[in-house]
């Protein structure tokens, strides 16, 4: 009986981070639910115990059901019959097992039948589910939509939709259209208001919608006639029982085959407005996408963990030239890099989750009472930091999961190219993570602001000001040198900030900052547990070499060289 939580001690390590006390205290707001709900926790220890036990259940379901189903789900995939998406048999079994265990709507308040989970254990569950089956993780992870309804919907909408999640309602996030992908300001699906009926209706096409035939859909639509940008868009909730959406087709994809990606036609579909008009994209979808980016971060770490384990297992068993291939430096280097990178992105994942946790909890607290000036300041600090860490996480975790899956196939040799081993599926599944929920390029567009306004440097300096064990001094000195180079190159490139050169080098600068931040996060981990020292050491050694290379390229780059790259213009 496999348990994907208990067999990975890194998870418990991150769950027990010192900042969890603050996350939990804020989330449980003086543990006041204990007076109203039998199963609500009494204090911090009680809450952590519940998180731990629930994650054990998630780990068991993943080890016994979702993981073993992954191959058949990948082969069978979903089908479209009579305008209805029929999941593969394994997918239905997976979902039912999670619904039966009460694991849908995990982060919702108890009054909506949720578990009131803090973001950290919720994201951890997402990592575990993704390790078992990254495609299925999308179906399960779309419960994020419940969080958006909870955050921005009025009481009537919350009362109508939120309790349905616990009972197993599935969800979808309908944003993309044929002409509106990265640029969601171009969304054209029309929302019109019928005053007599006091009812909104949706008309138009959505493309690439995961779980498009879900019970509850959040739909981004143009509600303001004559508008052409993001300020004319509002968010709506559509209930599948209306039967006014045609699923035109299910896409035939490279990977995550268990998760249906649909093209949808809305035909006078009645829908309800979430929150206020005009804030659909600029406020609500931005928040929804940030949660979804955290979700893709978790999915990427889950994929990385799965790929690393498959490679390690294979390398220990496969013998060539008279010994197991794991004993060849070329192979053990690949495997060590997988482990180090996975440790790095996992650290970034849970650091980001804690930031989101804290600022969101302050937001919910402020609905019941006014925050003190110190609390407002604290909320602002965590919210800004979360805004900076989220694109970094989405960018680096998704890119690393691809690199790790690529190397894991390599470790398998020819066998890795065959469908006989899970790594072939894992490799295909990894590919989407750098594309949806904002491509890597769009994460750089978001993150470069933090380079320009000095935010990343500020957070790096906060790490630098911390005291570390003497044993870790070499690693810290390395990070200080990396920071000096980072500051220097930003100053050089900044001179051309108004030109395309700034955008041209953006990714390099963002990745330099990421190498330093992840290095410090691993150093923090090593402070709590010296087992992480090796990862911190190797990560920073490699990070330093990579940063040097980027530095040299940027330092010697002449703005005139940009012309060489503009082949098509
Ligand atoms: C399997 C799958 C599932 C999906 N699920 C959902 C879902 O559930 N809901 C939903 O709404 N959408 C979903 N999507 C859509 C997904 O979010 C988009 O595909 C993605 O945002 C990219 O948009 P696009 O495909 O139109 O690419 P484009 O926007 O056309 O981008 C093409 C290329 O141009 C680059 N590019 C574009 N603009 C810029 C810029 N300003 N700067 C630098 N580079 C740029 C991109 O990085 C990319 O490399 C899904 C997509 C797939 C493939």
């Amino acid at each position: 009986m496999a348990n994907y939580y208990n067999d990975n001690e890194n998870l418990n390590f991150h769950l027990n981070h010192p900042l969890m006390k603050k996350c939990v205290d804020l989330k449980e707001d003086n543990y006041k639910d204990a007076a109203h709900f039998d199963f609500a926790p009494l204090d911090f220890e009680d809450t952590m115990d519940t998180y731990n036990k629930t994650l054990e259940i998630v780990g068991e379901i993943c080890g016994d059901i979702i993981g073993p189903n992954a191959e058949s789900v990948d082969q069978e995939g979903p089908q479209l019959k009579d305008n209805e998406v029929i999941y593969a048999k394994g997918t239905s079994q997976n979902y039912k097992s999670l619904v039966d265990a009460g694991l849908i709507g995990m982060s919702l308040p108890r009054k909506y039948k949720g578990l009131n989970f803090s973001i950290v254990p919720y994201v951890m569950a997402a990592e575990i589910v993704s390790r078992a089956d990254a495609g299925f993780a999308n179906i399960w992870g779309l419960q994020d939509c419940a969080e958006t309804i909870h955050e921005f919907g009025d009481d009537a909408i919350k009362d109508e939709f939120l309790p349905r999640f616990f009972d197993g309602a599935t969800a979808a996030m309908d944003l993309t259209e044929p002409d509106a992908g990265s640029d969601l300001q171009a969304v054209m699906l029309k929302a019109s208001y019928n005053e007599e009926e006091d009812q909104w209706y949706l008309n138009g096409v959505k493309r690439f919608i995961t779980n498009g035939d879900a019970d509850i859909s959040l739909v981004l639509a143009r509600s303001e006639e004559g508008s052409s940008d993001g300020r004319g868009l509002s968010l709506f909730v559509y209930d599948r029982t209306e039967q006014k959406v045609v699923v035109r087709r299910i896409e035939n994809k490279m990977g995550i085959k268990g998760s249906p990606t649909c093209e949808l036609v809305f035909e006078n579909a009645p829908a309800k407005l979430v929150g206020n008009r005009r804030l659909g994209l600029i406020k609500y979808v931005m928040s929804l996408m940030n949660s979804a980016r955290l979700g893709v971060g978790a999915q990427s770490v889950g994929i990385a963990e799965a790929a690393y384990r498959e490679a390690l297992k294979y390398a220990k068993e496969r013998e060539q030239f008279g010994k197991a291939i794991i004993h060849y430096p070329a192979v053990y280097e690949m495997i060590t890099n997988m482990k180090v990178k996975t440790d790095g992105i996992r650290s970034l994942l849970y650091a980001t989750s804690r930031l989101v946790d804290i600022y969101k909890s302050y937001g919910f607290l402020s609905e019941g009472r006014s925050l003190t000036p110190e609390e407002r300041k604290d909320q602002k600090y965590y919210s800004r930091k979360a805004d900076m860490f989220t694109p970094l996480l989405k960018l680096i975790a998704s890119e690393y999961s691809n690199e790790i899956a690529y190397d894991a196939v390599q470790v398998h040799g020819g066998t890795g190219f065959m469908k006989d081993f899970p790594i072939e599926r894992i490799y295909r599944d990894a590919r989407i993570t750098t594309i949806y929920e904002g491509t890597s390029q769009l994460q750089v567009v978001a993150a470069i602001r933090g380079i320009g306004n000095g935010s990343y440097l500020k957070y790096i300096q906060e790490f630098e000001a911390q005291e570390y064990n003497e044993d870790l001094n070499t690693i810290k000195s390395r990070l200080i040198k990396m920071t000096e180079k980072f500051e220097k190159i930003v100053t050089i490139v900044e001179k051309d900030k108004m030109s395309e050169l700034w955008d041209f080098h953006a990714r390099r600068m963002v990745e330099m900052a990421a190498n330093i931040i992840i290095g410090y996060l691993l150093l923090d981990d090593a402070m709590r547990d010296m087992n992480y020292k090796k990862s911190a050491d190797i990560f920073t050694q490699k990070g330093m070499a990579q940063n040097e290379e980027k530095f040299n390229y940027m330092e010697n780059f002449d703005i005139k060289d940009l012309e060489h790259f503009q082949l098509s213009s």
Side-chain angles (χ1 to χ4, degrees):
M1 295 276 136
N3 187 311
Y4 286 6
Y5 174 63
N6 287 338
D7 75 359
N8 184 353
E9 57 194 24
N10 298 292
L11 297 175
N12 200 269
F13 172 78
H14 285 290
L15 184 64
N16 286 299
H17 188 278
L19 205 56
M20 279 309 286
K21 174 88 171 78
K22 179 170 181 151
C23 295
V24 171
D25 283 353
L26 282 171
K27 184 76 190 176
E28 288 297 342
D29 189 15
N30 285 322
Y31 304 90
K32 62 177 190 204
D33 271 4
H36 310 286
F37 299 91
D38 288 346
F39 51 91
L42 302 169
D43 52 28
F44 172 67
E45 286 72 26
D46 198 14
T47 315
M48 291 302 284
D49 188 48
T50 306
Y51 291 169
N52 201 45
K53 288 194 172 115
T54 308
L55 287 165
E56 278 184 3
I57 296 170
V58 174
E60 194 179 308
I61 293 173
C62 287
D64 290 346
I65 300 171
I66 302 175
N69 277 342
E71 292 305 317
S72 69
V73 166
D74 180 61
Q75 280 161 29
E76 193 182 326
Q79 284 175 30
L80 187 58
K81 276 192 194 143
D82 304 327
N83 197 37
E84 198 180 334
V85 173
I86 313 285
Y87 289 149
K89 272 194 288 305
T91 307
S92 302
Q93 192 196 8
N94 295 346
Y95 201 72
K96 184 172 180 315
S97 59
L98 291 170
V99 174
D100 289 349
L103 296 170
I104 311 293
M106 285 173 83
S107 60
L108 287 178
R110 296 181 180 91
K111 70 173 173 175
Y112 298 120
K113 303 202 229 170
L115 296 174
N116 203 43
F117 260 37
S118 114
I119 304 270
V120 173
Y122 171 54
V123 164
M124 202 164 272
E127 181 198 324
I128 299 168
V129 175
S130 303
R131 173 183 151 195
D133 180 347
F136 177 72
N138 282 343
I139 297 175
W140 180 79
L142 275 158
Q143 57 179 295
D144 278 355
C145 293
E147 194 53 44
T148 302
I149 296 173
H150 172 223
E151 210 172 338
F152 303 113
D154 60 24
D155 284 344
I157 283 190
K158 288 196 241 189
D159 290 343
E160 180 181 348
F161 289 96
L162 295 183
R164 290 172 57 188
F165 283 91
F166 174 80
D167 299 328
T170 53
M173 180 178 77
D174 302 7
L175 314 177
T176 306
E177 295 177 10
D179 293 320
S182 298
D183 180 12
L184 285 175
Q185 300 207 58
V187 157
M188 289 311 291
L189 188 128
K190 193 168 172 204
S192 21
Y193 182 61
N194 182 318
E195 260 180 60
E196 264 171 39
E197 296 175 26
D198 185 22
Q199 176 69 57
W200 286 92
Y201 289 97
L202 305 178
N203 282 285
V205 176
K206 289 284 176 188
R207 182 169 81 146
F208 295 165
I209 306 304
T210 303
N211 223 14
D213 190 29
D215 297 314
I216 299 169
S217 298
L218 285 177
V219 188
L220 185 65
R222 189 158 298 280
S223 54
E224 312 306 314
E225 216 173 333
S227 67
S228 58
D229 64 11
R231 289 166 299 181
L233 300 173
S234 304
L235 190 64
F236 296 86
V237 57
Y238 168 76
D239 186 330
R240 184 180 183 275
T241 54
E242 299 286 356
Q243 294 293 312
K244 290 288 184 185
V245 174
V246 175
V247 182
R248 205 186 255 168
R249 66 194 180 119
I250 300 178
E251 305 290 344
N252 187 6
K253 305 192 297 279
M254 176 197 290
I256 55 163
K257 287 189 175 251
S259 116
T261 309
C262 306
E263 185 162 302
L264 308 172
V265 184
F266 286 73
E267 294 178 338
N268 237 16
K272 291 180 175 158
L273 180 70
V274 177
N276 296 319
R277 282 167 79 155
R278 297 174 177 273
L279 296 183
L281 179 65
I282 53 186
K283 186 162 181 194
Y284 311 144
V285 168
M286 282 304 150
S287 167
L288 176 60
M289 295 255 289
N290 269 343
S291 301
R293 283 168 186 172
L294 206 55
V296 178
Q299 187 178 38
S300 304
V301 176
I303 291 171
E305 179 71 29
Y308 161 65
R309 281 175 185 260
E310 290 298 329
L312 181 64
K313 185 161 149 252
Y314 188 82
K316 281 182 180 168
E317 285 167 5
R318 172 73 173 165
E319 290 188 5
Q320 283 294 279
F321 303 99
K323 60 179 180 182
I325 58 170
I326 194 156
H327 297 300
Y328 294 107
V331 175
Y332 67 64
E333 188 192 4
M334 279 193 275
I335 291 180
T336 303
N337 284 342
M338 286 177 209
K339 164 81 177 128
V340 170
K341 281 178 179 167
T342 306
D343 279 352
I345 52 177
R346 183 174 285 118
S347 220
L348 183 58
L349 172 66
Y350 294 111
T352 310
S353 304
R354 289 188 293 270
L355 301 173
V356 176
D357 223 349
I358 292 171
Y359 93 78
K360 288 224 171 191
S361 288
Y362 274 129
F364 290 123
L365 273 182
S366 70
E367 287 173 10
R369 66 162 172 88
S370 46
L371 300 179
T372 65
E374 291 76 41
E375 285 175 329
R376 274 203 301 277
K377 199 171 152 207
D378 208 34
Q379 181 187 28
K380 210 177 203 176
Y381 170 81
Y382 281 100
S383 162
R384 288 194 173 153
K385 201 165 171 182
D387 276 355
M388 287 291 93
F389 272 49
T390 303
L392 213 59
L393 166 72
K394 166 72 171 65
L395 170 71
I396 304 294
S398 63
E399 294 289 345
Y400 276 15
S401 85
N402 274 276
E403 289 169 24
I404 292 167
Y406 179 94
D407 279 351
V409 169
Q410 195 68 20
V411 168
H412 282 72
T415 310
F417 200 65
M418 306 300 154
K419 288 195 177 279
D420 306 343
F421 280 71
I423 196 58
E424 182 269 346
R425 168 181 52 83
I426 293 167
Y427 176 71
R428 284 186 284 108
D429 286 353
R431 192 61 193 88
I432 188 62
T433 58
T434 65
I435 297 172
Y436 59 13
E437 302 313 340
T439 62
S440 289
Q441 289 69 30
L442 267 286
Q443 302 312 310
V444 171
V445 170
I448 192 65
R449 283 183 296 125
I451 304 283
N453 66 22
S455 298
Y456 287 121
L457 183 61
K458 188 179 105 193
Y459 301 131
I460 289 169
Q461 284 164 343
E462 283 177 9
F463 282 118
E464 201 175 301
Q466 281 175 201
E467 292 283 329
Y468 290 93
N469 284 347
E470 248 177 59
D471 285 5
L472 301 171
N473 272 349
T474 320
I475 304 174
K476 186 173 179 186
S477 319
R478 204 176 283 146
L479 286 161
I480 291 172
K481 281 191 196 131
M482 286 164 74
T483 306
E484 285 163 6
K485 280 277 165 99
F486 168 67
E487 277 190 83
K488 194 168 168 199
I489 201 66
V490 172
T491 314
I492 293 171
V493 183
E494 224 167 12
K495 288 190 196 117
D496 293 301
K497 204 171 171 185
M498 302 316 287
S499 76
E500 270 185 26
L501 194 77
W502 180 253
D503 290 339
F504 184 75
H505 286 318
R507 182 160 179 171
R508 278 175 274 277
M509 291 186 282
V510 170
E511 285 175 346
M512 280 178 86
N515 277 338
I516 302 169
I517 288 173
I518 296 174
Y520 271 116
L521 288 171
L522 287 170
L523 203 60
D524 280 355
D525 292 344
M527 277 284 285
R528 288 205 291 134
D529 180 344
M530 273 312 219
N531 282 323
Y532 288 91
K533 184 182 170 192
K534 204 165 182 179
S535 283
D537 202 2
I538 298 173
F539 188 90
T540 49
Q541 267 187 35
K542 293 213 153 229
M544 190 168 188
Q546 283 168 6
N547 283 12
E548 281 295 321
E549 192 182 321
K550 291 180 206 294
F551 180 94
N552 291 337
Y553 182 65
M554 286 189 270
E555 192 189 30
N556 297 315
F557 198 89
D558 188 319
I559 192 159
K560 287 195 224 84
D561 295 342
L562 265 182
E563 285 168 23
H564 299 306
F565 289 90
Q566 294 162 337
L567 294 177
S568 56
S569 52

